[in-house]
């Protein structure tokens, strides 16, 4: 009788572990897949024509990620390269940024994030007068 009880308890434990292991793993992936990604080009305080293009990526759990941006000036309908920046590695938070002096005109900021579980990008147009 004791032998059947021990075997039954072991089988119940194995079934419970099999059911809950997938749920725990799924919850872990959801956390890893959560990404905060932002980019922009604010004016540097106290200056007349300096700007700070940036791209930031932050993930829930450490993973291999890369973040970056490229800034172009639109001249006669064509995009002329101005600057770019990138950062990456294994971790939770990476930020690429630069400080540039810009003249009047239209600029396009292309920003991206690439990771093991998620990737994203954005394009923003800025008009400086």
């Amino acid at each position: 009788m004791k032998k059947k009880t021990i075997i039954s308890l072991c089988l119940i434990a194995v079934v419970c572990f099999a059911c809950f292991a997938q749920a725990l793993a799924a919850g872990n992936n959801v956390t890893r897949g959560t990404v905060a990604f932002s980019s922009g080009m604010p004016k540097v305080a106290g200056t007349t024509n300096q700007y700070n293009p940036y791209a930031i990526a932050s993930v829930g759990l450490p993973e291999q990620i890369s973040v970056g941006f490229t800034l172009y000036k639109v001249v006669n309908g064509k995009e002329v390269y101005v600057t770019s920046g990138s950062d990456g590695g294994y971790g939770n938070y990476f930020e690429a940024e630069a400080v540039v002096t810009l003249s009047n005109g239209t600029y396009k900021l292309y920003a991206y994030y690439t990771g093991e579980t998620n990737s994203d990008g954005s394009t923003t147009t800025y008009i400086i007068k």
Side-chain angles (χ1 to χ4, degrees), residues 2-39:
K2 280 187 170 186
K3 198 174 196 181
K4 286 184 181 180
T5 304
I6 292 173
I7 291 174
S8 295
L9 290 173
C10 287
L11 285 174
I12 290 170
V14 168
V15 170
C16 287
F17 179 75
C19 291
F20 291 115
Q22 288 180 344
L24 291 173
N28 201 7
N29 286 338
V30 169
T31 302
R32 180 181 292 274
T34 302
V35 179
F37 172 64
S38 65
S39 63

Side-chain angles (χ1 to χ4, degrees), residues 14-95:
V14 168
V15 170
C16 287
F17 179 75
C19 291
F20 291 115
Q22 288 180 344
L24 291 173
N28 201 7
N29 286 338
V30 169
T31 302
R32 180 181 292 274
T34 302
V35 179
F37 172 64
S38 65
S39 63
M41 192 172 73
K43 189 172 186 178
V44 176
T47 68
T48 56
N49 58 353
Q50 286 190 327
Y51 293 83
N52 178 223
Y54 72 88
I56 298 171
S58 178
V59 294
L61 292 175
E63 65 178 75
Q64 189 69 35
I65 60 177
S66 175
V67 65
F69 69 88
T70 304
L71 179 65
Y72 295 93
K73 182 174 185 178
V74 179
V75 179
N76 296 326
K78 295 183 180 181
E79 295 178 354
V80 178
Y81 174 83
V82 176
T83 191
S84 61
S86 64
D87 192 16
Y90 185 82
N92 293 78
Y93 178 89
F94 290 94
E95 177 179 4

Side-chain angles (χ1 to χ4, degrees), residues 96-116:
E97 67 174 337
V99 174
V100 291
T101 301
L102 302 177
S103 59
N104 293 346
T106 301
Y107 293 84
K108 283 196 174 182
L109 179 66
Y110 295 91
Y112 69 88
Y113 154 77
T114 306
E116 293 175 32

